[in-house]
Amino acid sequence: MRLAFKMMGFALATAVSGAIFLPIGPSYAASGEEVINARADFMKDELGGHWKILAAYAKSGKGSLADVEENAMALAKLAKKIPEHFPKDTGRGKYPDKMTRALPVIWTDWEGFKKDVQKLADGSEKLARLAKEGNKDAVITMIGSSGSYSKTKIGCAECHKTFRGARVKK
């Protein structure tokens, strides 16, 4: 009886530890569609949320250089997570254009994709340094006074031009 109880405890501990150490993230979602939806949320809500604060500062002077520094550093950290949101075969060609804007070139030029992601991380860190130094003019020049990510010099535009397809009306 005692041995059976110990065996049950061991089995339970093994199951729990296995569940705890399972990889978790968008690439382990149950379906490609879930990965795509999680990726879109990450790009729009997390990255986009920080970008909006930077754009508002450059475009209309809302916020402070401290806000720019904080949000640029957040972008730099989040940028390093971008590749994990793009597991193989979760783009156009495998899924409808209306579902995703991720182009197949992401996976055929994975090193180029990661290089552009690194440009965003590096550009965001540089922006944070400029903000910390109080260099308002350089900050606005880097963000771009239009507030458009496609015109910024922190690294958004390069990746979007090469690896993101046009929006398709739903």
Side-chain angles (χ1 to χ4, degrees):
M1 180 75 157
R2 191 166 227 193
L3 180 61
F5 185 70
K6 286 182 179 179
M7 293 297 284
M8 284 178 32
F10 176 76
L12 180 61
T14 302
V16 169
S17 67
I20 291 171
F21 295 111
L22 280 175
I24 298 173
S27 63
Y28 296 98
S31 73
E33 190 171 317
E34 289 173 345
V35 169
I36 291 166
N37 290 335
R39 174 171 63 223
D41 290 345
F42 171 77
M43 300 299 274
K44 180 181 169 195
D45 298 338
E46 293 189 51
L47 292 171
H50 294 291
W51 171 253
K52 286 178 185 176
I53 292 168
L54 300 178
Y57 180 81
K59 189 174 180 180
S60 56
K62 291 182 183 173
S64 67
L65 286 172
D67 295 330
V68 170
E69 179 186 2
E70 177 184 331
N71 286 279
M73 283 309 299
L75 274 179
K77 289 176 184 173
L78 288 171
K80 295 172 184 171
K81 295 180 179 185
I82 291 173
E84 72 188 48
H85 287 274
F86 288 86
K88 192 165 178 61
D89 295 331
T90 60
R92 288 185 174 176
K94 300 286 181 179
Y95 289 89
D97 290 2
K98 290 182 180 181
M99 185 181 293
T100 180
R101 295 174 72 183
L103 297 174
V105 70
I106 290 170
W107 299 279
T108 59
D109 184 13
W110 186 249
E111 290 307 311
F113 177 69
K114 290 191 327 186
K115 188 176 179 182
D116 277 356
V117 168
Q118 188 61 50
K119 285 180 189 174
L120 173 60
D122 294 344
S124 297
E125 287 175 357
K126 180 179 178 182
L127 179 62
R129 275 193 312 276
L130 292 169
K132 186 174 186 167
E133 293 167 1
N135 193 337
K136 182 179 178 178
D137 292 337
V139 163
I140 292 172
T141 297
M142 229 178 143
I143 296 170
S145 60
S146 71
S148 170
Y149 68 84
S150 65
K151 295 180 181 175
T152 186
K153 294 179 178 139
I154 66 169
C156 300
E158 294 84 350
C159 196
H160 283 200
K161 285 177 187 171
T162 305
F163 300 106
R164 182 173 143 184
R167 185 181 310 267
V168 176
K169 293 184 181 182
K170 292 187 179 187

